[in-house]
Amino acid sequence: MFRTNDLEQLMQKVDEAGFGTISLSPEVCLSLLARLKDLEQQGLLKSATITESNARTTTKGTDAQNNDQAKTIRNDFTYWLEKDHHPTEKNLLEGLDQLLLALKNYFRISLSHLECHFALYPKGHFYKKHIDQTAENNKRFFSFVIYLNQNWNESLGGKLVGFDGEQKIFEVLPHFGQMIVFRSDIPHEVEPSLSERRSIAGWFRV
């Protein structure tokens, strides 16, 4: 799934800038897109949730209150990938194991596993600024997103934006086959889009 030279260049980018991008093969991404659309047709995607660890505005309350609050911070739909769910998911997760090992060896961090989910953002949906690694949840070290949107253009919006304070340090359009890897302590957001936006989001953890 990943070529050695591509992985080496990606590690250097993440080391120097905190993030880096890499292109995946169209065949891999077409298979993932087909799997996601099949899950959509089966009605298996669920409304995403948030936790106190990655949304500082979250407060304790009833399940109904927390669900309503979650929708003001993020309103995408997700499905978690597992190797025993489907061959397409198994193939991706085995490929990501290769990336986990590269990150572990390059940064000398005892990464032990990864987690990821499909994500569907309907038109106009979003995920407000948040951090994947905080003092309360510090097991995520690197985050990633794989984009599954064919024929995307800038006018459709839907950028992933990373921040250092108020300064934007990256803006990534969700083009088909592009993958971004970034440090999980970088604040980031998903801007609303004018079309459905599909991706896979995940984290490498200790």
Side-chain angles (χ1 to χ4, degrees), residues 116 143 179:
C116 62
S143 305
M179 177 180 188

Side-chain angles (χ1 to χ4, degrees), residues 20-50:
T21 60
I22 190 171
S23 296
L24 303 184
S25 75
E27 293 78 15
V28 168
C29 293
L30 285 170
S31 177
L32 292 167
L33 178 59
R35 172 62 176 157
L36 175 50
K37 288 186 174 181
D38 184 53
L39 292 167
E40 293 173 32
Q41 292 176 354
Q42 295 181 58
L44 295 177
L45 273 68
K46 305 299 181 183
S47 182
T49 60
I50 58 171

Side-chain angles (χ1 to χ4, degrees), residues 160-183:
L160 174 69
V161 183
F163 296 88
D164 180 2
E166 296 302 314
Q167 181 181 359
K168 295 179 180 179
I169 57 175
F170 62 76
E171 295 182 83
V172 179
L173 283 167
H175 290 300
F176 186 77
Q178 182 165 225
M179 177 180 188
I180 180 170
V181 179
F182 58 97
R183 294 197 328 265

